Each structure stands twice: as C-alpha cells, then as structure tokens.
Amino acid sequence: MPKQWKIKVILILIVAAAVITAGIQLYNHRHYRMLLTAGPGVTKVHMLSDYCSGLKGTMADTHVFFLKGKEPGGKMLILANTHSNEPASLLAALIFLENAVVEKGTLIIIPQFNNSGGRNTRPGDGYPLYFEIQTSWGTKKFRMGNRDASPLDQWPDPDVYVHYPDKQLLSFLDIRNTNRTWPGRPNGALMEKVTYAAMELMRTEKVDMTVDIHGAETMFPVTNCIVAPEKAIRIATMTSLTLKAREGFDNHVEPSPSGFRGLSHREIGDFSDTLPFLLEAPLPFLDQPTGPKTVKLLLDGKDPFLLSLAKKNKLFVPYDESGWPMENRVGQHCSAVLELLRQFSRKSPDRSIQVKNVPRYAGIVKNGVGYYYHNPATINKKDLYFN
C-alpha cells in the first residue's frame, strides 16, 4: 500500500474512533437515568402526559409530584429545568421535593419540565455532560442539559417559528424552547404540547400561582429578579422588598413585556387564572466572556474575566472574588418561592398555602445544597423515580 494511502487510512480510523467515542458518550448521556427522590410530603405522582396524551411515550414526558396538605387551601406549581442548562432551578426544586411538608393547600412540582432539553447538550461549546453535588452520604449526579429540546425528539426546525396563537414571528430555535412555546397547543410541535399540558394542569387543578425557575448571565439586565405581569406585580414587589430587607440578597422586579409572546410569565397569566412568576438568579457559566465551561465554573461561578468586567461596571449583579456559588443561587430561589407563598397567603387567606421544612437562603449558603438531599439507599424504593 502506498504511503499516502496508509496515512489516509490512519486518519479515517482516527476520525471514526473519535465519532464512535463521542456517539457513545452522547447516547449514555441521553439515556442516563437521573434519580428523583420523593420526600415525606409527596401524596401522589402523575405524568405530564396525563394532561396531554400526545406526550405519552415520548422523551418529553415527565413526572409531576403533588404535595397535598391536610387542610384545604391554594395551589402553587413549581416548574424547574425549563432551560436545562440552568441547573440551580432543578436543585432548588429537589430541595422542595425531598423536604417540603405541606400543612395547608397543595404544592405541585415538575423538577424537569423540559425533559428532552435535559437530555440534550452543547458539545461545541464545551458543556460538561454531568455534574455532581457533594452530600454527607456521597455525591449526587446530574445530567447537564441544554436550553432547547433535543432535535432527536423534535425535528426539523422551521425557517421561522410562527408563535401560536398570535402569529408573532420568532427564531426557528424557539420552537424547541419551552419558554417560547406558551400557551402551547395539543396538536402542535412536541414542545408546544409540553406547555399546553402544563396549561391544562393549571386549569384542571385550579392552580393559583406558578413559579418558573431560571438562571441568567451576569451581563444580562434581567437577572437577580422576579419577572411578573400586571396582575401579579404587587405580590412580586412585596416579595422582592421583603427578601432584600430580611435576607440581605439583591433582588428586583421586572415587568413582563406584553409585546413579547411565548413567555411563561406572560402567557400563563393571559390564558388562565393562575398568577405567574419567573425567577432569575445569576449564572456566570452562561456568560460568553468566560474561561472554559467547566463543572467548577458551573458550581462556584468564579471567573477571572468576569471579575475584570465587574471592576469596569459591566455586570448587572455584584461580583467579586467569591464568584456566584451554586448554594447562593439555590438559596435565593428557595427563599423567593417561600416568600411568594407567604405574600400570596397574606393577600388571599382563603387560599393560603403553608409549607414547612424547606430551608431558606442563609441555611443553604451555610450548609450547602447537598446537605438537604436524602440518601436514596435509606429511602423506600416506591419513593424513588427515574427521569
């Protein structure tokens, strides 16, 4: 065999080995069974497909956990992992799932709202496939997902996404973004079915308030905040002021834009009686001018480039050598959800929702996120779910 052919064969083998190795890694990531532990407060578990049959048997279907109190009251829905590259939302939701005991009213939790996005990734941007949280009994492993649903589950993308029902033109990628497809439709694309199912859940269960948990870049002005439409702005404002005064972390209110369609904090309020809120906590990992997208950056939020930008007042949040650790982000989310519950219950005592055993910001910052996760080896198998 001529030398040039030998070189070509070697190169082909190298490329084939790289493709096969990457393919195996992505396959394993997509099919990794992430453990969800139902705590003592969980009273029943549904699937999202119970509210839209078109989700049944797809990677978009996901668990819906109900925590019903002994006394009647209002209902809150918590949505996490709408964007699966914003993992503080999932970690905060799991703290509620594993620890919350509802005394009055009902708490409904969807830990992985965009289950398909949780099985997607961005290898071109160097995203890690997994990350781990330290606990007293070992490590708890999570998939690192992507903002959009996997094209393996919903494809092809249109040239332009025509939003339903108002026909606003959005980016072609937004059809796989579950914070652009609200209020959804039962016969639409898969992610439209996901948001439609959530709307049906809210309407069927008569949900009073929904909290959609997110993370945003430190260079993005809509971060460290609560986003709410007109009908929910008063509760959001009282929550924000109380958090700053009592718990000492920055938080402000952003009004939901009426002209930008498809967003949870707009469409939920317009198409149901539910009060919608969207939480944003700073997530340095998502900023563009950072170093490598490592698990360390994801967890501690420390980056020298962002620190340099902070000194030039280019960021929209406080930023110093301590970064933005995961426990701060998760702590903010937990406190914000609890305070929203308190403010709503004060305003509507006949629909009060009372929850105990969930830590607030100071406790999570002090103890770490993993402190509040239970060892699955000590949990009854009927309370363990894989998503």
Side-chain angles (χ1 to χ4, degrees), residues 295-371:
V295 172
K296 182 178 184 301
L297 174 60
L298 179 69
L299 296 180
D300 67 20
K302 295 181 182 179
D303 183 82
F305 299 102
L306 292 182
L307 184 60
S308 175
L309 290 170
K311 292 175 181 177
K312 298 175 182 178
N313 297 317
K314 300 297 184 182
L315 306 185
F316 287 92
V317 297
Y319 194 92
D320 57 25
E321 288 79 3
S322 61
W324 266 97
M326 183 65 79
E327 54 265 25
N328 292 59
R329 290 171 255 159
V330 174
Q332 287 192 189
H333 286 322
C334 288
S335 278
V337 172
L338 291 171
E339 192 58 37
L340 284 169
L341 282 170
R342 194 174 78 89
Q343 294 296 335
F344 172 79
S345 298
R346 288 181 61 190
K347 184 175 181 293
S348 305
D350 57 320
R351 299 288 294 169
S352 176
I353 308 168
Q354 297 178 12
V355 178
K356 66 178 184 179
N357 291 353
V358 176
R360 298 184 81 105
Y361 175 76
I364 296 173
V365 170
K366 177 183 177 181
N367 298 319
V369 176
Y371 179 84

Side-chain angles (χ1 to χ4, degrees), residues 238-297:
M238 290 303 300
T239 296
S240 176
L241 293 172
T242 303
L243 291 174
K244 286 190 287 188
R246 292 187 176 181
E247 305 202 35
F249 60 82
D250 287 335
N251 187 276
H252 68 280
V253 175
E254 291 281 345
S256 173
S258 59
F260 188 0
R261 309 309 303 189
L263 300 161
S264 64
H265 50 77
R266 169 51 51 188
E267 308 292 0
I268 289 173
D270 287 355
F271 285 87
S272 75
D273 295 328
T274 304
L275 298 175
F277 304 88
L278 184 142
L279 306 183
E280 296 277 17
L283 179 49
F285 182 91
L286 293 182
D287 282 292
Q288 291 302 312
T290 69
K293 302 296 186 182
T294 63
V295 172
K296 182 178 184 301
L297 174 60

Side-chain angles (χ1 to χ4, degrees), residues 50-67:
D50 293 340
Y51 301 91
C52 178
S53 60
L55 295 175
K56 196 172 184 65
T58 73
M59 283 290 198
D61 204 3
T62 190
H63 291 93
V64 182
F65 297 88
F66 286 74
L67 293 77

Side-chain angles (χ1 to χ4, degrees), residues 4-185:
Q4 62 182 6
W5 281 102
K6 289 182 180 179
I7 294 174
K8 290 181 179 179
V9 169
I10 291 172
L11 290 175
I12 290 172
L13 291 174
I14 291 173
V15 171
V19 169
I20 291 170
T21 300
I24 291 172
Q25 290 179 338
L26 293 177
Y27 178 88
N28 290 339
H29 173 268
R30 177 172 169 81
H31 294 277
Y32 177 73
R33 302 179 74 211
M34 202 172 75
L35 180 64
L36 304 177
T37 302
V42 174
T43 52
K44 66 178 179 179
V45 182
H46 281 287
M47 296 300 292
L48 193 57
S49 57
D50 293 340
Y51 301 91
C52 178
S53 60
L55 295 175
K56 196 172 184 65
T58 73
M59 283 290 198
D61 204 3
T62 190
H63 291 93
V64 182
F65 297 88
F66 286 74
L67 293 77
K68 185 176 181 180
K70 294 181 180 179
E71 294 185 49
K75 295 178 181 179
M76 173 189 267
L77 170 63
I78 297 176
L79 301 175
N81 259 23
T82 292
H83 293 152
S84 300
N85 59 343
E86 301 165 10
S89 62
L90 170 63
L91 301 183
L94 294 186
I95 286 180
F96 275 86
L97 179 64
E98 295 197 25
N99 298 278
V101 174
V102 180
E103 297 181 317
K104 186 175 183 180
T106 302
L107 198 60
I108 307 169
I109 304 173
I110 306 180
Q112 289 187 287
F113 183 56
N114 188 347
N115 194 27
S116 173
R119 299 169 186 277
N120 195 14
T121 185
R122 295 177 69 171
D125 287 347
Y127 273 33
L129 295 179
Y130 309 94
F131 67 95
E132 295 182 340
I133 296 295
Q134 296 295 322
T135 75
S136 60
W137 42 267
T139 58
K140 191 172 177 69
K141 185 176 179 180
F142 298 90
R143 283 191 310 267
M144 178 63 179
N146 192 8
R147 181 181 179 86
D148 307 308
S150 171
L152 295 175
D153 300 318
Q154 181 180 301
W155 190 85
D157 297 326
D159 293 332
V160 176
Y161 172 36
V162 182
H163 175 262
Y164 175 84
D166 64 44
K167 297 181 170 57
Q168 186 175 91
L169 303 183
L170 302 176
S171 165
F172 70 97
L173 275 177
D174 284 336
I175 200 167
R176 288 192 279 118
N177 180 346
T178 44
N179 200 28
R180 296 296 184 274
T181 59
W182 296 91
R185 48 184 167 174

